[in-house]
Amino acid sequence: MKNKVIIVEDDRLLNRALCKTFTNAGYEAAGAMSMQEAENFLEDGTALMIVDIGLPDGDGFTLCRKVQDSTKIPVIFLTARDDEGDMLRAFDCGADDYLVKPFPMAVLLKHAQAVLRRTGEEDARLFCYEDLSIDFARKQVTARGKEINLTNKEYELLALLARNRTKVITKQMMLEQIWDVQGSFVEGNTVNVTLSRLRKKIEPDPANPVYIKNVFGLGYTFGE
């Protein structure tokens, strides 16, 4: 499963914070304090590298060039340097994005997800939206950094909505795809009850859902 993110940052506290951010979002995060450590972490499962410019045994430009020459793993520069020359040099080395410290963690995560979508590295088996992530391979759901225990039907319902994001899913479609082919062997309010339980488990405020939204008179959709 290609969802590993390597964080190359020699500030130990920031490195840990970055690793936690990506781990909570459903990625496997590995922290490296130097170029050498970063190169040791490189493997087929690596999806993205976050790189600082100043490193104890070299610089991010050199590391980025090495990565691009050998693996083509997308690289995001994350540095305190806001000089135009450094930015241009980073992109010349093959960087996919450049962010200047300080920065909101949520913004970094959005940039990372955008780079992964753009480069085709975002694993279809890992779904992330806001503070919710679904690992389809493991059938694991995480919300706000905590694993959520769902029943089989709750998980299947959430997965159906997430996999069809931007589409409206009717109750009949839910019955046919999750319960019975004809939807004839379950009570009429089964979908409503399951949706209610699911919302209570994943939504920050079930009365004002962020993830599972009602499309009046039609059905339900995931997110915006």
Side-chain angles (χ1 to χ4, degrees):
M1 186 169 173
K2 197 167 185 177
N3 70 331
K4 184 175 182 179
V5 178
I6 300 175
I7 311 294
V8 192
E9 168 61 61
D10 62 350
D11 181 320
R12 193 173 298 277
L13 291 178
L14 179 55
N15 196 311
R16 289 176 180 173
L18 291 168
C19 286
K20 183 177 180 180
T21 295
F22 279 93
T23 299
N24 288 347
Y27 297 88
E28 176 189 349
M33 303 289 290
S34 66
M35 284 181 55
Q36 185 59 56
E37 284 187 22
E39 292 181 49
N40 291 339
F41 279 133
L42 288 174
E43 56 186 40
D44 290 340
T46 302
L48 177 68
M49 184 176 281
I50 311 292
V51 180
D52 191 7
I53 291 178
L55 298 170
D57 55 350
D59 59 61
F61 303 124
T62 302
L63 177 59
C64 181
R65 192 175 293 108
K66 284 185 177 181
V67 169
Q68 295 305 302
D69 287 344
S70 60
T71 67
K72 304 300 182 184
I73 293 170
V75 174
I76 295 177
F77 273 80
L78 188 62
T79 175
R81 301 189 191 182
D82 59 358
D83 181 74
E84 181 180 344
D86 286 329
M87 294 181 188
L88 293 175
R89 186 178 177 189
F91 286 113
D92 286 341
C93 290
D96 293 87
D97 205 346
Y98 190 106
L99 293 176
V100 178
K101 304 173 186 176
F103 57 91
M105 290 293 189
V107 171
L108 170 62
L109 191 59
K110 290 297 184 183
H111 277 257
Q113 292 169 348
V115 166
L116 290 171
R117 285 195 299 271
R118 189 166 65 245
T119 58
E121 297 295 343
E122 183 77 336
D123 199 312
R125 291 174 292 179
L126 181 67
F127 176 89
C128 296
Y129 180 81
E130 298 291 343
D131 291 330
L132 180 81
S133 65
I134 306 172
D135 185 334
F136 293 119
R138 297 185 177 92
K139 293 188 176 181
Q140 184 180 47
V141 178
T142 303
R144 298 171 294 284
K146 295 181 180 180
E147 185 175 348
I148 306 299
N149 293 319
L150 301 178
T151 66
N152 286 338
K153 295 302 183 186
E154 289 167 357
Y155 172 80
E156 290 175 12
L157 187 53
L158 177 61
L160 174 65
L161 289 163
R163 290 183 188 277
N164 290 278
R165 189 184 166 196
T166 73
K167 298 179 181 178
V168 175
I169 305 298
T170 66
K171 288 184 180 180
Q172 185 62 33
M173 292 166 66
M174 293 175 184
L175 286 169
E176 291 177 357
Q177 296 188 43
I178 296 176
W179 282 274
D180 179 74
V181 175
Q182 300 299 324
S184 57
F185 296 102
V186 293
E187 296 181 4
N189 69 340
T190 296
V191 172
N192 290 339
V193 171
T194 307
L195 280 168
S196 178
R197 289 201 312 259
L198 179 57
R199 277 175 165 165
K200 288 178 181 178
K201 291 183 179 182
I202 67 170
E203 297 284 359
D205 178 7
N208 298 286
V210 175
Y211 307 117
I212 301 175
K213 297 196 173 186
N214 184 25
V215 181
F216 185 75
L218 296 176
Y220 296 85
T221 188
F222 191 97
E224 297 293 346

